[in-house]
């Protein structure tokens, strides 16, 4: 009997997964198809349309690529085939280099105190990117990254004053493909948002014994706090 329940559960999970992936692929594919049809008719005579079409097709292709990359990452993670190479890393240096890649005046950072962690640096950057991209995506104003150290932990906070998250949603945002209704309406087709960023971030955090806590209020903003063991 339990075997039967397992089989039904895994079938349902698989169905939901196929449904989610198909749904996420449909929007960029519809955009690409629409613009290709327009280009076929007017592409050689309307240079403005040509520019708009190329830019939208490029964004949609990028969104699909991000989706596929996140799916492959999670598939490898599920199968235990996602190798991590943990080495002593200067967290302050890593964070400094990480923020340098964001060329936006919206980003404000505190002074990062020196501290060492045992981690896979590339994975840490991937995890930080999930939190920072969300903070920038779901707010319009300044986003702050704050880092402090105390005892044998470092605390990194991503603080935004954006749309915020309700209490019920806060429990679900780390689930695969979960997006709040507010987020769906805020994000446009230029941005890649499929609801997998935090699932990937959570997997990386778990592999590094990093605790994640979320404080958020709809309309007021969100703070994601990472507590990272130091060495
Ligand atoms: P997405 O690619 O949609 O941003 P994530 O897994 O990174 O996917 O996040 C899941 C959902 O959590 C988002 O769609 C959004 O609803 C919510 N969320 C995450 N970070 C924030 C934030 N800083 N402010 C408001 N909502 C957020």
């Amino acid at each position: 009997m339990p075997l039967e329940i397992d089989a039904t559960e895994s079938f349902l999970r698989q169905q939901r997964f196929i449904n989610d992936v198909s749904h996420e692929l449909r929007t960029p594919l519809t955009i690409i198809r629409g613009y290709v049809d327009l280009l076929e008719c007017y592409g050689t005579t309307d240079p403005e349309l040509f520019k708009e079409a190329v830019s939208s097709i490029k964004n949609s292709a990028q969104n699909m690529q991000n989706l596929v990359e996140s799916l492959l990452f999670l598939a490898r993670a599920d199968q235990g085939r996602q190798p991590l190479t943990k080495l002593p890393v200067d967290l302050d240096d890593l964070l400094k280099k990480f923020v340098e890649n964001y060329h936006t005046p919206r980003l404000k950072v505190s002074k990062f105190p020196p501290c060492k962690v045992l981690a896979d640096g590339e994975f840490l950057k991937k995890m930080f990117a999930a939190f920072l991209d969300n903070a920038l995506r779901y707010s319009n104003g300044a986003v702050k990254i704050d880092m402090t150290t105390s005892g044998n932990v470092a605390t990194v906070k991503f603080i935004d004053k954006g749309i915020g998250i309700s209490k019920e949603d806060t429990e679900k945002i780390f689930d695969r493909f979960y997006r709040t209704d507010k987020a769906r309406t805020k994000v446009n087709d230029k941005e890649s948002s499929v609801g997998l960023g935090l699932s990937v971030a959570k997997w990386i955090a778990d592999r590094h014994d990093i605790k994640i806590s979320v404080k958020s209020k709809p309309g007021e903003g969100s703070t994601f706090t990472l507590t990272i063991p130091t060495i």
Side-chain angles (χ1 to χ4, degrees), residues 28 78 89 100 124 143 165 181 217 219 223 226:
D78 287 346
V89 174
E100 271 165 20
L124 278 195
V143 166
I165 310 161
D181 288 341
K217 235 183 176 178
T223 298
L226 310 183

Side-chain angles (χ1 to χ4, degrees), residues 207-221:
R207 294 299 156 301
H208 289 87
D209 296 318
I210 296 171
K211 301 259 170 311
I212 306 171
S213 71
V214 190
K215 249 192 171 167
S216 190
K217 235 183 176 178
E220 290 187 16

Side-chain angles (χ1 to χ4, degrees), residues 91-110:
L91 186 62
D92 47 318
D93 279 349
L94 182 134
L95 265 174
K96 245 180 256 162
K97 289 199 184 99
F98 165 74
V99 297
E100 271 165 20
N101 285 324
Y102 282 78
H103 305 283
T104 165
R106 291 176 56 203
L107 188 54
K108 314 282 173 212
V109 296
S110 69

Side-chain angles (χ1 to χ4, degrees), residues 63-77 82 126 176-177 192 194-200:
N63 289 352
M64 288 195 290
Q65 194 172 339
N66 293 346
L67 168 66
V68 170
E69 271 164 23
S70 294
L71 286 174
L72 283 174
F73 181 99
L74 290 167
R76 282 195 298 265
Q82 191 64 270
K126 200 176 175 63
R176 291 178 193 186
F177 291 107
S192 161
V194 291
L196 291 176
L198 289 182
S199 309
V200 169

Side-chain angles (χ1 to χ4, degrees), residues 12-28 67 71 175-179 184 193-196:
L12 286 176
R13 215 176 307 132
Q14 201 177 357
Q15 290 286 80
R16 203 163 47 229
F17 177 77
I18 292 169
N19 197 40
D20 286 335
V21 175
S22 315
H23 187 79
E24 293 305 333
L25 284 173
R26 200 159 58 178
T27 309
L67 168 66
L71 286 174
D175 294 351
R176 291 178 193 186
F177 291 107
Y178 191 80
R179 283 184 292 174
R184 280 174 204 277
S193 157
V194 291
L196 291 176

Side-chain angles (χ1 to χ4, degrees), residues 134 137-138 160 165 173 178-180 183 193-195 197-198 222:
N134 281 343
R137 186 181 293 147
Y138 301 115
D160 72 67
I165 310 161
I173 54 174
Y178 191 80
R179 283 184 292 174
T180 65
S193 157
V194 291
L198 289 182
S222 312

